Amino acid sequence: MTAPCYETVAQVSLPDTIRTNFTEAGIQLDGILDEPAWKEATRISNFTQRELNEGELATERTEVAVVYTQKALYIGAWCYDREPDKIIAKELRRDFNHSVDDNFEVIIDTYLDKRNGFLFIVNPNGARKDAQVLNNGGSFNVNWNGVWNVKTSITAEGWFAEFEIPFSTLKFRSGLEQQVWGINFERNIRRKREQILWQGWSRDSELEFVNRAGALKGLSNIEDKAFVEVKPYGIAGMQLNRRDANKGVLNAGGDVNYLVTPTLRLNLTVNTDFAQVEADRAQINLTRFPVFFPERREFFLEGEDYFDMGLGDRIIGFYSRRIGLNQNREPVSIIAGARMLGKINNSTVGAMSLQTAEQGSGENHSPTTNYTVLSWRQDVLKQSSVGIMSTNKYAQGRHHSTTGGYARYSTSSLFGDKNLMAGGAYARNYNSDGTPADASAHRFFVSYPNDRIQFDAAWNRSATNFNPEVGFLSRDNFQEFYTELEFRPRPTKNFLRWIRQFSFKPLDMNWFIYDDTKQMQSFFYEIRPLGFETRGGESFEFNIQRRGEGVREPFEIGRGIFIQPGDYWQTRYEIQASTFSSREFSVGTAVNWGRFYDGKITESAFGLNWRASRYLNANLNYEHNWVSLPEGSFHARLVNSQIAYALSPNVFGSLFGQWNDEDREAILNYRLHIIPRIGTDFFFIVNQLYDTSGLGWKLTQTLIIGKLIWRFVL
């Protein structure tokens, strides 16, 4: 379909530059862009499709303008739509799922380093989401919550958005009379599955590739004020126990944030508390390797991208869940800590030190411990970097350190406009009471992540004695040889028009060997004869897998059922399918079946999503594994469900429940989040634990708490 021609009232601007004007008049943040400042501003309108029809004009008119005051940057978006009744917008809460709604996105590279940026997203309902983008889209901090606001309106002409982003939220270089920032915009029209961008609209690019952003010019003499943010909290509640005495919950503490420079922030925390954190999602584990639980605590999530040692997902040099949680994932009090994050010229620095309290006794005893992490990363060439990092643990007179360095080469101009990344990392342990030989790890990788051809290869090694005590190993004593090749052709307009993109995978291999004996530890090989995504948003995959396991020691796979030492080879088959997630109802399912050690297995997963309205969304997920072995058979089941509701972008909550037949426990978590004003939060939490091992459900514990986090700026 050829995009329509339409007239525009936008003023003329350069194809890759947008100019901002200073305004002394106030902007009333209401989503109605009728102030004189907007009428006088220069608008850009040259948006181009990335999807579905790369290179064609947008089918709906979109315009953007930027103005600023002494304190904030304002962005206006005119998202015209000739069929406004078909706009898809059923999310309202903060940090909403933006992939299923119409939305408008802004990314700002304040350093103009073409590597990092601040991402701001809004949907037609005014739901907002933000994130920090690092390494030119290579990593994200989706849990960053900046202090900013946005309002929207929907009319017979479409929908419109008005952003207010305080300069105190945006870190930028100081002392410049004229600022030039990187900036880019994206609009998604879900019913058409249309994605349009101002710059960098190639399918081998994305909005997060800030090196392909346009330029924001016209910022003059932005105020560089000292910034002190104080965020005290108070918490009160009650824990009701079935077997033990009930006890009250009363606590207080807080954080102080100080901008040492516009690009470097110091954070001090006292009596750090994580009461508002959601419960971990249970996982079925039918392997002999540990389960990884992602970090959910905002304090650690905010700076996690500063503390990446570059060793990949198998070998994590710094795993923040080692701090403030014991081996049973139970909280350990954090007395106080300090953290400094930011950028100095072309260097990104991170430093953090936290002291935990002594707690528990016997096997659950946790001594008072200091955790200190230091990181430095230097920008080199156009998109590349080198760095060093050290994680340290001090407890009972003993010091442990995991220290290493890494380098990463990145380019988005290979063969003109293709992406390529390559790099390596090395780390080593040090223990004050003696370091065993060969306590090191490394990773070397190359990646060609492009639209039609994707190729990856890596060599990872965790030596026999490598043990990052403030890190995480998905397995130890291993070497991994990994390679993957995927072809993703797109049909021509006259052939299989209903297919958006195919996926054929002739090669996907993970070969693990024991580092000490060089014998097989695990083997995985997958081919994909057919996979595709339709233009309507449905997807399908059929995969054939060959697996191997080299078991050294017996381990329990089910209650009283053990896998004995030996080499096991298994062939498995897998089908995955899902419907378009932006619809009112959407489903996804996966089935995997075949050999399992010396028996058989059928793994199944099913998910149902109901997007009832902007105020109510619900989902149900069910996993069921049937395992049949010569020693016996068993089932492993997991079910969880969430009902999420929102009264406004600043009042929302959820009810989450989960159960699995391994622990035979059910967990219910109710969470209400109220934002009285941007930067201030109130949480009301109810957690309940049920014993389901007998007949019926028996309530064993209830925790009811309220927590207020207030924000002051000095």
Side-chain angles (χ1 to χ4, degrees):
M1 180 178 69
T2 303
C5 295
Y6 44 70
E7 295 180 358
T8 176
V9 297
Q11 300 178 37
V12 176
S13 63
L14 295 175
D16 61 353
T17 301
I18 183 171
R19 296 198 65 85
T20 180
N21 299 328
F22 176 79
T23 178
E24 293 183 352
I27 299 288
Q28 182 178 354
L29 202 69
D30 55 10
I32 303 173
L33 295 90
D34 57 357
E35 288 86 359
W38 292 124
K39 295 177 181 179
E40 297 168 3
T42 300
R43 300 191 200 177
I44 56 98
S45 59
N46 50 315
F47 282 79
T48 306
Q49 287 191 52
R50 182 178 183 269
E51 296 287 355
L52 283 166
N53 302 303
E54 183 184 23
E56 293 189 7
L57 293 177
T59 63
E60 302 290 348
R61 189 170 112 208
T62 305
E63 298 175 358
V64 182
V66 182
V67 300
Y68 72 102
T69 64
Q70 288 290 336
K71 295 183 178 180
L73 190 73
Y74 292 85
I75 299 170
W78 290 259
C79 300
Y80 294 101
D81 198 313
R82 289 164 296 167
E83 298 178 292
D85 58 312
K86 295 183 179 179
I87 289 173
I88 296 178
K90 291 191 175 181
E91 294 276 349
L92 193 57
R93 57 190 170 87
R94 178 72 189 264
D95 291 329
F96 68 105
N97 180 5
H98 70 286
S99 66
V100 296
D101 272 356
D102 282 40
N103 65 59
F104 183 82
E105 307 182 22
V106 182
I107 193 166
I108 305 175
D109 173 13
T110 56
Y111 300 121
L112 199 63
D113 62 6
K114 300 186 182 298
R115 291 174 170 83
N116 308 294
F118 299 93
L119 179 65
F120 305 92
I121 307 173
V122 66
N123 76 353
N125 295 331
R128 62 187 185 274
K129 183 174 184 175
D130 50 19
Q132 289 177 312
V133 178
L134 296 97
N135 299 324
N136 202 39
S139 59
F140 300 83
N141 182 1
V142 297
N143 296 282
W144 174 73
N145 284 324
V147 177
W148 62 286
N149 207 353
V150 62
K151 297 293 183 181
T152 60
S153 64
I154 302 176
T155 73
E157 294 184 290
W159 68 280
F160 309 90
E162 203 169 28
F163 293 76
E164 180 186 45
I165 307 173
F167 288 125
S168 58
T169 296
L170 300 171
K171 301 178 180 68
F172 54 90
R173 302 182 194 276
S174 60
L176 299 178
E177 182 178 345
Q178 296 285 334
Q179 295 271 351
V180 179
W181 293 351
I183 196 166
N184 204 359
F185 312 101
E186 175 182 310
R187 179 184 177 186
N188 288 281
I189 308 170
R190 294 299 176 196
R191 71 180 184 276
K192 300 181 180 183
R193 303 201 66 220
E194 182 174 321
Q195 181 185 67
I196 59 174
L197 285 89
W198 177 48
Q199 302 295 320
W201 42 263
S202 163
R203 285 175 177 154
D204 290 320
S205 180
E206 295 179 8
L207 180 72
E208 293 76 20
F209 287 17
V210 291
N211 68 305
R212 291 175 175 168
L216 173 64
K217 296 183 178 180
L219 292 168
S220 301
N221 299 313
I222 299 176
E223 288 189 355
D224 179 11
K225 289 186 176 181
F227 176 78
V228 179
E229 179 186 60
V230 182
K231 299 187 73 172
Y233 80 84
I235 182 173
M238 177 69 70
Q239 181 172 308
L240 309 174
N241 301 296
R242 181 167 172 252
R243 296 184 177 88
D244 301 324
N246 300 333
K247 59 182 180 179
V249 178
L250 188 66
N251 208 350
D255 294 350
V256 176
N257 300 315
Y258 171 63
L259 281 181
V260 181
T261 72
T263 61
L264 191 64
R265 188 182 74 171
L266 173 66
N267 170 233
L268 304 176
T269 182
V270 177
N271 200 21
T272 313
D273 175 81
F274 309 109
Q276 73 274 22
V277 176
E278 294 180 346
D280 283 324
R281 303 293 177 103
Q283 302 178 46
I284 293 177
N285 184 16
L286 296 178
T287 75
R288 62 193 190 277
F289 305 110
V291 174
F292 176 82
F293 288 94
E295 180 62 83
R296 291 183 175 272
R297 298 169 295 175
E298 183 178 349
F299 177 85
F300 293 107
L301 289 168
E302 184 178 353
E304 67 176 350
D305 294 300
Y306 287 84
F307 302 116
D308 182 359
M309 198 169 282
L311 291 166
D313 297 333
R314 308 285 190 196
I315 307 167
I316 300 176
F318 174 61
Y319 181 41
S320 56
R321 287 184 66 114
R322 301 293 184 210
I323 304 174
L325 290 172
N326 64 19
Q327 60 185 2
N328 297 321
R329 308 204 307 274
E330 298 169 339
V332 175
S333 298
I334 296 178
I335 301 171
R339 179 176 62 186
M340 184 173 288
L341 305 172
K343 191 154 187 170
I344 303 174
N345 296 323
N346 292 324
S347 299
T348 301
V349 296
M352 179 169 63
S353 184
L354 294 163
Q355 187 74 33
T356 61
E358 183 176 11
Q359 195 164 306
S361 60
E363 294 182 355
N364 292 324
H365 176 249
S366 299
T368 180
T369 305
N370 177 267
Y371 299 88
T372 297
V373 190
L374 304 170
S375 175
W376 168 83
R377 182 171 67 243
Q378 182 70 27
D379 297 341
V380 297
L381 304 176
K382 289 184 177 181
Q383 298 172 225
S384 307
S385 60
V386 296
I388 56 174
M389 181 174 158
S390 180
T391 64
N392 300 271
K393 175 183 175 182
Y394 304 85
Q396 298 178 316
R398 178 180 179 273
H399 172 215
H400 167 84
S401 171
T402 299
T403 301
Y406 58 90
R408 168 179 165 158
Y409 171 77
S410 178
T411 179
S412 59
S413 57
L414 182 70
F415 309 131
D417 62 351
K418 302 302 179 186
N419 304 298
L420 178 71
M421 292 179 288
Y426 176 85
R428 184 172 179 82
N429 295 148
Y430 166 79
N431 300 318
S432 60
D433 56 353
T435 305
D438 208 10
S440 64
H442 69 238
R443 178 177 188 249
F444 299 100
F445 77 95
V446 61
S447 179
Y448 181 80
N450 293 286
D451 181 62
R452 286 179 171 80
I453 299 177
Q454 295 188 359
F455 174 76
D456 296 278
W459 174 33
N460 301 322
R461 178 182 182 238
S462 175
T464 307
N465 296 315
F466 182 70
N467 178 27
E469 296 182 13
V470 196
F472 179 86
L473 295 176
S474 63
R475 56 181 76 203
D476 56 17
N477 182 25
F478 78 92
Q479 292 188 45
E480 177 193 16
F481 303 91
Y482 160 70
T483 184
E484 181 177 2
L485 175 64
E486 183 179 2
F487 298 104
R488 306 175 69 216
R490 294 173 182 260
T492 62
K493 292 183 178 180
N494 298 322
F495 176 71
L496 294 178
R497 177 65 173 165
W498 58 281
I499 297 289
R500 171 183 173 265
Q501 191 167 28
F502 283 106
S503 172
F504 302 110
K505 189 186 292 185
L507 174 63
D508 184 356
M509 183 188 74
N510 300 81
W511 177 31
F512 296 89
I513 61 173
Y514 290 101
D515 186 62
D516 54 359
T517 65
K518 306 302 185 288
Q519 295 176 325
M520 179 185 70
Q521 188 181 75
S522 295
F523 179 82
F524 176 88
Y525 192 104
E526 178 179 273
I527 62 172
R528 183 175 300 155
L530 178 63
F532 61 83
E533 180 184 351
T534 70
R535 294 175 70 87
E538 279 66 42
S539 64
F540 173 84
E541 286 182 12
F542 172 59
N543 302 308
I544 302 173
Q545 302 168 350
R546 183 65 171 167
R547 303 180 181 217
E549 294 291 342
V551 180
R552 279 185 168 184
E553 299 176 353
F555 71 96
E556 190 173 17
I557 193 71
R559 288 189 178 92
I561 301 175
F562 288 83
I563 301 296
Q564 300 301 321
D567 289 344
Y568 299 87
W569 289 97
Q570 311 148 32
T571 300
R572 305 266 282 273
Y573 304 92
E574 181 180 73
I575 292 176
Q576 297 185 28
S578 64
T579 63
F580 185 34
S581 57
S582 292
R583 296 195 179 100
E584 179 180 354
F585 289 96
S586 61
V587 297
T589 186
V591 181
N592 186 296
W593 71 96
R595 297 292 298 176
F596 184 69
Y597 293 97
D598 51 357
K600 295 181 179 180
I601 188 172
T602 299
E603 299 177 331
S604 66
F606 174 80
L608 171 64
N609 292 283
W610 178 35
R611 287 161 40 86
S613 70
R614 72 177 69 182
Y615 305 110
L616 180 65
N617 289 268
N619 65 63
L620 173 66
N621 299 285
Y622 178 68
E623 296 180 38
H624 193 161
N625 298 292
W626 295 267
V627 178
S628 175
L629 296 167
E631 295 82 3
S633 301
F634 65 93
H635 297 259
R637 290 166 291 189
L638 169 64
V639 60
N640 64 63
S641 180
Q642 184 177 53
I643 300 173
Y645 65 91
L647 303 180
S648 76
N650 295 328
V651 180
F652 50 92
S654 65
L655 175 63
F656 173 72
Q658 62 179 339
W659 173 86
N660 71 86
D661 57 4
E662 174 65 25
D663 299 326
R664 297 189 178 180
E665 289 181 339
I667 298 173
L668 293 181
N669 171 252
Y670 172 75
R671 187 173 187 264
L672 172 66
H673 187 180
I674 300 174
I675 305 174
R677 65 181 187 184
I678 302 300
T680 296
D681 302 274
F682 173 75
F683 298 92
F684 178 70
I685 310 291
V686 179
N687 289 322
Q688 291 188 312
L689 181 65
Y690 291 84
D691 180 2
T692 66
S693 59
L695 295 176
W697 287 21
K698 294 182 180 179
L699 179 62
T700 60
Q701 186 180 94
T702 299
L703 176 65
I704 304 172
I705 59 171
K707 180 176 181 180
L708 177 64
I709 306 171
W710 204 257
R711 178 179 182 265
F712 303 92
V713 177
L714 306 178

